[in-house]
Amino acid sequence: CFCLKKAKQHPGYEDPTTLASETPFTVNEVEALYDLFKKLSSSIIDDGFIHKEEFQLALFRNRSKQNLFADRVFDLFDIKRNGVIEFGEFVRSLSIFHPNAPNEDKMEFAFKLYDLRQTGYIEHEELREMVSAILNESDLEISEDVVESIVDKTMAEADLKGDGKIDKEEWKEFVARNPSILRNMTLPYLKQITLAFPSFVLNSEVQDSDI
Amino acid sequence: AFFNAFEFISSMSSGFDLSSLFENQ
């Protein structure tokens, strides 16, 4: 079968039907994502996995650009924590960014992303570190005092229990009051993926309506 | 001025803007 053949040839490849059943994607869309995955995973080392340098190259057109948030996203996509992103991990992680994915999943992903040291909390120092990282990558010049006041003000708004850190419950309430902070968690491209990466035209003999 | 630090991060972060994965290919 077509899928078994691919699985043999490409380590980490997973059956699109399985991936479609676990995500908001159709089988055709998973096939199209495989086209994108192939491009990304062969840009430096053609081994069927996305390495961090390949991820950086895809995001920034620069394989050695260091970026705190790209690192965090890569680490969260790398569900098995083996240093590379496999096809199944790529599809499952991207599915959270689908316009139809549950908001709960988007909130959870963003929380993990901002919980830099994976303590289960977003701490004052972590928030400060992230704001500083953004300032370093932009041309904005904001004084330390202003940075501190933005961070203090945000912590005061989000940290309802007043213990100096934001837990998941507080995060949910904060996001509910400020929904725009999840804007990066939705990728409109994922609704038209088969147009951008039309592998289904060649590969899929199955109509999504038949599944 | 930015309303809160998370708003600032999500608006400004290039590393957390995955649309580039599609646009740059």
Side-chain angles (χ1 to χ4, degrees):
Chain A
C1 138
F2 173 75
C3 298
L4 281 176
K5 232 192 267 174
K6 263 191 184 169
K8 269 188 181 175
Q9 288 164 359
H10 304 285
Y13 182 78
E14 279 189 59
D15 175 19
T17 314
T18 309
L19 291 171
S21 71
E22 294 176 17
T23 64
F25 297 120
T26 64
V27 174
N28 282 346
E29 287 168 338
V30 175
E31 290 276 4
L33 281 175
Y34 189 62
D35 259 14
L36 172 61
F37 181 84
K38 272 190 297 185
K39 282 188 186 186
L40 303 181
S41 64
S42 62
S43 64
I44 298 174
I45 308 163
D46 191 3
D47 59 357
F49 303 111
I50 299 176
H51 294 254
K52 190 174 272 183
E53 282 195 333
E54 290 173 323
F55 194 68
Q56 288 165 344
L57 184 62
L59 281 178
F60 308 120
R61 299 180 191 220
N62 177 344
R63 63 164 76 178
S64 40
K65 180 169 167 139
Q66 296 296 309
N67 182 286
L68 174 67
F69 295 96
D71 279 358
R72 290 295 300 136
V73 172
F74 183 91
D75 290 347
L76 290 175
F77 272 47
D78 175 16
I79 298 164
K80 289 185 190 163
R81 306 264 175 112
N82 58 352
V84 291
I85 301 172
E86 297 177 4
F87 178 54
E89 293 175 329
F90 184 67
V91 174
R92 289 187 181 92
S93 301
L94 270 185
S95 75
I96 298 167
F97 292 78
H98 192 284
N100 297 345
N103 217 39
E104 185 83 10
D105 294 352
K106 295 176 190 286
M107 274 197 296
E108 175 87 18
F109 188 98
F111 185 85
K112 284 185 191 161
L113 184 102
Y114 295 140
D115 175 11
L116 297 182
R117 290 182 254 289
Q118 296 150 66
T119 55
Y121 302 96
I122 302 170
E123 292 171 36
H124 185 283
E125 187 49 38
E126 289 173 324
L127 189 54
R128 190 180 208 294
E129 204 177 306
M130 291 187 281
V131 171
S132 297
I134 295 287
L135 289 174
N136 285 339
E137 71 169 273
S138 72
D139 294 330
L140 283 174
E141 283 186 25
I142 299 181
S143 72
E144 285 293 309
D145 287 354
V146 174
V147 170
E148 199 57 51
S149 72
I150 294 172
V151 172
D152 285 349
K153 183 172 170 287
T154 304
M155 287 303 294
E157 284 172 22
D159 175 22
L160 299 175
K161 292 169 193 155
D163 56 1
K165 54 196 183 185
I166 303 166
D167 63 23
K168 247 181 221 174
E169 201 184 319
E170 290 167 332
W171 175 245
K172 280 180 191 171
E173 287 184 33
F174 187 69
V175 170
R177 279 182 275 131
N178 302 276
S180 64
I181 61 179
L182 288 187
R183 70 159 65 87
N184 281 5
M185 287 304 309
T186 295
L187 284 170
Y189 288 94
L190 294 176
K191 271 218 157 175
Q192 43 183 340
I193 187 77
T194 50
L195 296 178
F197 299 93
S199 77
F200 71 106
V201 174
L202 297 172
N203 293 342
S204 178
E205 292 172 10
V206 187
Q207 294 299 310
D208 285 327
S209 55
D210 294 339
I211 296 168
Chain B
F2 282 96
F3 4 118
N4 70 60
F6 293 107
E7 184 84 41
F8 176 67
I9 292 166
S10 62
S11 303
M12 303 288 290
S13 169
S14 58
F16 184 21
D17 178 11
L18 297 188
S19 53
S20 315
L21 285 183
F22 301 85
E23 286 163 2
N24 289 348
Q25 307 317 309

